[in-house]
Amino acid sequence: QVQLVESGGGLVQAGGSLRLSCAASGITFRSYAVVWFRQAPGKEREFVAGINRSGGSTYYADSVKGRFTVSRDIGKNTVYLQMNSLNPEDTAVYYCAAKAAWYVQKYDYWGQGTQVTVSS
């Protein structure tokens, strides 16, 4: 059974940092590009950051560029999202999703999400 499990969310003050993890089981994670999304209450889900299969290319939404860093540890079958300089607008449920390649539209697997709350 394939599972993506996010962890690392929580409550943090503005200006603080969190590191989210997306751990995969049941698949070889390095065979998938991974994307982080977020969804705030009353808003649509939005792209946050992504990383290709090799980890050699990363992609960011303009709103997080320079503050967030996506990386992967192939040995641990895990992708991370380091979030620095957090502000209240970053409050959302964060999800990771995996797809066969960066250019593919369809996502094969989704995590259950982890809540990030940034207080002002």
Side-chain angles (χ1 to χ4, degrees), residues 30-83:
R30 66 185 177 191
S31 297
Y32 294 84
V34 178
V35 176
W36 286 96
F37 293 92
R38 66 187 181 186
Q39 188 165 20
K43 295 187 177 181
E44 293 188 354
R45 184 176 62 201
E46 63 175 354
F47 166 81
V48 175
I51 189 165
N52 69 348
R53 287 180 294 187
S54 70
S57 295
T58 55
Y59 310 87
Y60 299 94
D62 288 343
S63 59
V64 307
K65 204 170 291 184
R67 300 188 297 123
F68 290 11
T69 303
V70 60
S71 62
R72 68 192 312 161
D73 185 327
I74 292 175
K76 293 184 177 180
N77 234 24
T78 299
V79 170
Y80 302 99
L81 184 67
Q82 177 68 43
M83 307 187 296

Side-chain angles (χ1 to χ4, degrees), residues 5 9 11 17 20 28 36 39-40 45 49-50 61 64-65 68-69 71 82 90 92 94-96 111 113 118:
V5 179
L11 174 64
S17 299
L20 305 184
T28 303
W36 286 96
Q39 188 165 20
R45 184 176 62 201
V64 307
K65 204 170 291 184
F68 290 11
T69 303
S71 62
Q82 177 68 43
D90 296 316
Y94 284 70
Y95 301 89
C96 62
V118 184

